[in-house]
Amino acid sequence: MSIGEFRNDKARERFHAVYGRLLDRLWPDAVDAFDLPTSFGATRVHRVGPPCSDPVVLLSGANGNSLMWHRYIAPAARRRTVIAVDTVGEPGASVQSAPLTGAEDGARWLEEVLAGLEATAAHLVGCSYGGWLALAHQMHRPGRAAALTLVEPAGFADPGRRFYAWLIAGGLAGLAPRALRPRLSRWVGNSAILETELMGLGRASIGFRRALPPAGVFSDEELRRVRVPSLFLLGERSALHDARQVAERVDALVPDAEVEVVPGAGHALATDDPELVAARIVRHAAG
């Protein structure tokens, strides 16, 4: 399996010019950015607050990076150290050097990141693919995560036609003139296209070849391994899975889980209702 990388130097330079500009504009001045060595490549992390053993660690969805959390940093960092991670193999500031072939590799990468942060009781917050990585870490490398908050996590259904149609419709709507996007956002059920800066970053990342393993569906036995307090936030209208079925499965299999199905929200829950998601992250971390 190949590694995620930019097609050429021009594509890399174009992306990092946009990425750096948006970091300066959207992130707090006090953010500390540094790289952690892992078996799969140098991983960029962005820390707000002093080092501690129990930070909130944010993991983005597929084709995303730390910037997806820009609305969440201030509320989450009021009482806890917050660390946003550029997942290796995604378009961001991390540089992948070895392939990840499955969930165990994803868990090993995240374990090495947490070890580099000297985190022994981290609160992992994962969105979509990031939620899949957080769950995989708990299943294969438990110990450093004290709790999980999972925002529309992958791993409960194979993406089908409905999901890919949703992705394509959102991508096309994101190319429309800015004035038309609010109406199109409601029509396609994807509020992420209203994030103008991130849509620009997405266009700049077209020259990146993503090569991460698909988010495989977790078995019942794997889900029973999740033994830390876990909050599942699901969009009622998710295009990825049936939220009610996921809720029933989690209730039956995950011993210490809380599930909330958010009415009217879809797979883009993090942008559909950022105030609710931020409040739940803060509450669950405090608990």
Side-chain angles (χ1 to χ4, degrees), residues 14-282:
R14 181 169 61 247
F15 173 85
H16 282 292
V18 177
Y19 188 46
R21 185 166 65 249
L22 291 180
L23 278 172
D24 289 341
R25 183 187 306 168
L26 300 176
W27 278 70
D29 293 336
V31 66
D32 180 21
F34 54 96
D35 293 332
L36 293 172
T38 75
S39 300
F40 303 95
T43 299
R44 176 67 54 87
V45 300
H46 303 84
R47 182 174 61 204
V48 178
C52 68
S53 63
D54 61 344
V56 172
V57 178
L58 306 171
L59 303 168
S60 70
N63 291 304
N65 49 55
S66 297
L67 271 171
M68 78 151 284
W69 299 105
H70 70 94
R71 296 182 186 277
Y72 290 82
I73 299 302
R78 288 189 187 118
R79 297 182 180 178
R80 298 285 288 274
T81 299
V82 176
I83 298 169
V85 181
D86 280 7
T87 301
V88 70
E90 302 282 13
S94 295
V95 181
Q96 189 175 9
S97 60
L100 278 75
T101 60
E104 292 190 31
D105 280 351
R108 178 183 174 190
W109 164 77
L110 184 50
E111 174 67 13
E112 292 179 7
V113 169
L114 296 177
L117 293 170
E118 299 183 346
T120 56
H123 182 111
L124 300 184
V125 179
C127 178
S128 192
Y129 193 84
W132 181 78
L133 286 170
L135 283 166
H137 178 264
Q138 179 59 207
M139 294 167 185
H140 298 286
R141 299 272 180 160
R144 290 187 181 272
L148 310 177
T149 296
L150 307 159
V151 184
E152 269 291 294
F156 290 88
D158 288 321
R161 291 183 181 178
R162 182 186 175 208
F163 181 69
Y164 289 117
W166 178 80
L167 280 180
I168 293 169
L172 293 173
L175 298 175
R178 189 171 180 177
L180 296 178
R181 290 181 199 167
R183 181 183 299 176
L184 291 172
S185 169
R186 293 190 294 272
W187 183 61
V188 302
N190 190 344
S191 59
I193 69 172
L194 301 178
E195 291 273 359
T196 303
E197 294 90 350
L198 298 189
M199 292 303 296
L201 185 63
R203 288 191 290 273
S205 69
I206 290 175
F208 186 83
R209 299 189 187 98
R210 186 177 186 271
L212 288 174
V217 177
F218 295 121
S219 68
D220 289 358
E221 188 275 330
E222 287 175 320
L223 288 171
R224 290 190 183 100
R225 294 184 209 166
V226 180
R227 297 282 179 174
V228 296
S230 302
L231 173 62
F232 289 75
L233 298 174
L234 307 174
E236 178 189 34
R237 299 180 179 178
S238 175
L240 179 61
H241 46 226
D242 184 310
R244 298 295 177 185
Q245 290 181 359
V246 174
E248 290 173 3
R249 194 160 176 239
V250 168
D251 284 339
L253 297 171
V254 181
D256 195 1
E258 176 186 353
V259 183
E260 181 173 354
V261 178
V262 181
H267 187 60
L269 174 56
T271 50
D272 285 346
D273 199 338
E275 291 80 10
L276 180 146
V277 175
R280 298 298 186 270
I281 291 171
V282 171

